[in-house]
Amino acid sequence: MKNKIINALNFYGINDKSYLNECLKCIDYLSLDKDLIDKVNNIMDILYNKKDYLLAKLWKMKDKKDLFGNYYHSYITNIIVLLGCKIHQENIIKYNLDDNQIKNHKKRVKEALTYDVYEIGYDGIRISQMLWASYFINLRIIEVGLLQYELVDINPITNKKERCIKIHIPKNTKLDIKSVKESLNKSKSEIKKYFKLDNPKYYCESWLLSSKVLNLLDNDSNIVKFSKLFDITVGSNCIGDILNFVYGKLNCDDYNALQVDTSLQRKIKEELIKGVIIKIGIGKLKEA
């Protein structure tokens, strides 16, 4: 197993001895606990055999204890991602990804493996980062220019079975509307090439499409311009997403303590303090 981890770290360009050492410590920890190994294998089966009916349950879990019990090494989620590297390599060949897609896929998995550790300072990565990495490993997502496109089997508005595309916006992306439109136009041929889907319907579920957030912005802002590309339906409470993507926090007991560096952070903070419920927007891309 250690050689698999070393090879995976090299594949994703993670050349950090301390990171490697934590991974190796985790493997040693696993070797002493058969029940924990069984739990890891069960999660890998869900992730890499695409058992979506079980995957939804994993997205709802925030604490690693919910998956592994009270005793585990903090890098256990990192290990599960790294053990998927061979599957990723096989899928790259199977789907015949071009060099640009390969570069993006490796970059996104590396981000999932390192952001929580390097940027936030967590011991190991969150469950959400583990799951997000698996989407690239399983080739559920391609990246075209500014945006990412995920093939899904359920319409996010009707909840009925339908093959369609979910648009994702990479973290820290500046939503320049010209680049957005270029990505959307180019995506059609890429989606047909890799997902074998003609004329797909596009959807985007995001806090960026929340009416509460949009009302805080100027009409000429990039986010508002982006929102006007969609017919938007109101979804469920997305304060968890707000805390995660806007403030880099998993939760917050006192909104007054939220640190603000931008005008949008300040405005949203004021709404949260007032007790405003922010709901996600689910947008269907308008016909061109």
Side-chain angles (χ1 to χ4, degrees), residues 189-251:
S189 60
E190 295 288 287
I191 288 167
K192 182 176 181 179
K193 177 181 178 182
Y194 294 117
F195 296 150
K196 314 303 180 188
L197 187 61
D198 286 309
N199 301 314
K201 294 179 182 177
Y202 293 80
Y203 297 88
C204 182
E205 291 184 77
S206 176
W207 64 271
L208 290 170
L209 298 182
S210 167
S211 60
K212 297 293 185 183
V213 172
L214 293 171
N215 287 338
L216 300 175
L217 300 170
D218 296 330
N219 286 332
D220 62 348
S221 74
N222 286 327
I223 295 175
V224 171
K225 290 178 182 178
F226 178 75
S227 74
K228 290 181 178 178
L229 299 175
F230 300 89
D231 291 317
I232 301 173
T233 300
V234 177
S236 58
N237 188 316
C238 68
I239 290 179
D241 286 345
I242 293 284
L243 292 174
N244 182 17
F245 293 111
V246 181
Y247 300 99
K249 289 185 173 293
L250 286 176
N251 49 60

Side-chain angles (χ1 to χ4, degrees), residues 69-82:
N70 292 321
Y71 303 102
Y72 59 87
H73 190 281
S74 60
Y75 267 56
I76 193 167
T77 39
N78 305 54
I79 293 296
I80 289 171
V81 171
L82 291 166

Side-chain angles (χ1 to χ4, degrees), residues 98-116:
D98 61 32
D99 290 343
N100 191 51
Q101 288 292 347
I102 293 172
K103 177 183 176 182
N104 287 332
H105 269 69
K106 293 170 71 172
K107 173 184 176 182
R108 298 308 180 188
V109 174
K110 180 180 180 180
E111 286 176 350
L113 284 165
T114 58
Y115 178 79
D116 283 356

